[in-house]
Amino acid sequence: MSPLEHKKNLPIGVFDSGLGGLTVVHAIRKALPSESVVYLGDNARVPYGTRSAQTVVRYAESCAAFLQTMGLKMLVVACNTVSSVAMPALREQMSGPVLGVIEAGAAAVTAGRPSRIGVIGTAGTIRSNAYIREINRLAPECLVHQESAPLFVPLAEEGWLEGEVPLLAAKRYLEPLAEKKIEVLLLGCTHYPLLTPSIERALIELGCDAAVVDSASAMAASVRNVLRGHDLENDKGKKGILDLYVTDMPGSFHAAASRFLNEEIKGVTCVDI
Ligand code: DGL
């Protein structure tokens, strides 16, 4: 096998603080079925969104270092919190391409040229203003209103996706955005798409008809573009392998991952990073 062939066969590394990044893995597996993926969910240290930027960078560097030992052709940062503060550090650390979620999310939410956009994310993502900067780079005339929605992360990790509690939380978080008459709502955290039914219901109950957008499929399209650009696409046609790693509780992660990915999961390995 030529060195280029060998490189094309290497997996794509993906990480997040826990389950959330599986929304991106799901989209990659659907759009690029021949690609192998190694996923790391750093669930021993979830949530990232309530921590300082300095701590998030340190956690991200250790996740990337672990995935690098697997031999990757590219790294996908499936975490908005990390993408909003750690991209320069990760690009310096890794030898191959590194893709974050902010650009894909901003491109997806501005696609229909709305004039009022709502963004929800973790406290860290919102504090960084990364989405305001990127959305206004693409659509300078657009008004961006943002709110942090920290309780959505533990709710998603717990699998508490529908019912009174997530609906009440969603209504509290979305009320200020509904008052601003947003036309589109960007889910600026990879955990949040798991709560889409509750989020959509809350918007309806608040009298807001904003469309809900997440970055997962836009991310998969960006991954394909990056691989093409580097001549690294695996076009073999054989189904790629999925390897899952966590830093805690592999059993509960296995059950949740099988549900979200809608595919048979071999096993989940617990690692100390
Ligand atoms: N899913 C992550 C994000 O997109 C992080 C959530 C958290 O750990 O707080 O921001």
Side-chain angles (χ1 to χ4, degrees):
M1 191 188 291
S2 73
L4 181 60
E5 277 302 299
H6 171 71
K7 225 173 161 192
K8 285 183 179 189
N9 280 331
L10 293 177
I12 300 166
V14 184
F15 77 94
D16 183 32
S17 60
L19 274 174
L22 292 179
T23 54
V24 175
V25 171
H26 183 59
I28 294 176
R29 301 277 291 161
K30 230 169 109 189
L32 305 164
S34 312
E35 300 295 345
S36 293
V37 173
V38 186
Y39 181 78
L40 172 65
D42 187 13
N43 53 352
R45 301 189 288 197
V46 68
Y48 280 12
T50 52
R51 308 196 193 272
S52 67
Q54 207 184 9
T55 298
V56 171
V57 172
R58 188 159 51 82
Y59 287 179
E61 285 171 340
S62 63
C63 290
F66 167 75
L67 286 171
Q68 201 163 22
T69 64
M70 306 274 129
L72 305 178
K73 60 179 173 183
M74 109 175 255
L75 179 68
V76 174
V77 181
C79 174
N80 293 258
T81 312
V82 171
S83 301
S84 63
V85 294
M87 294 309 289
L90 293 176
R91 289 200 166 114
E92 198 165 307
Q93 179 184 350
M94 303 298 285
S95 47
V98 183
L99 189 67
V101 276
I102 304 291
E103 287 84 354
V109 79
T110 51
R113 312 310 290 175
S115 47
R116 287 180 307 280
I117 292 177
V119 177
I120 51 172
T122 66
T125 300
I126 298 306
R127 196 171 52 231
S128 76
N129 288 325
Y131 272 115
I132 297 192
R133 278 196 302 277
E134 186 58 19
I135 290 171
N136 281 151
R137 192 181 66 78
L138 299 173
E141 70 296 344
C142 191
L143 284 175
V144 186
H145 302 284
Q146 44 173 20
E147 285 293 326
S148 61
L151 282 181
F152 283 171
V153 174
L155 286 170
E157 287 286 326
E158 281 293 316
W160 206 342
L161 308 178
E162 287 184 67
E164 247 181 318
V165 174
L167 181 64
L168 195 64
K171 282 172 84 172
R172 279 284 187 92
Y173 290 140
L174 298 173
E175 195 173 6
L177 299 177
E179 279 168 5
K180 300 281 185 206
K181 305 211 176 322
I182 55 162
E183 295 153 43
V184 198
L185 175 70
L186 175 65
L187 306 186
C189 171
T190 52
H191 280 74
Y192 297 178
L194 303 175
L195 289 146
T196 299
S198 294
I199 291 170
E200 286 179 338
R201 187 156 160 220
L203 286 172
I204 292 169
E205 291 192 16
L206 291 165
C208 176
D209 59 1
V212 176
V213 170
D214 74 64
S215 51
S217 45
M219 261 314 263
S222 303
V223 170
R224 185 201 303 274
N225 288 341
V226 170
L227 290 178
R228 272 198 190 147
H230 288 78
D231 194 17
L232 286 174
E233 223 178 348
N234 189 345
D235 34 30
K236 284 269 166 54
K238 215 173 96 204
K239 181 114 175 116
I241 296 162
L242 174 63
D243 282 318
L244 299 176
Y245 292 86
V246 286
T247 50
D248 203 2
M249 311 275 280
S252 53
F253 192 90
H254 183 274
S258 322
R259 249 193 347 266
F260 297 141
L261 295 175
N262 207 8
E263 65 174 292
E264 193 63 45
I265 308 287
K266 279 197 307 209
V268 178
T269 309
C270 192
V271 286
D272 184 4
I273 58 170

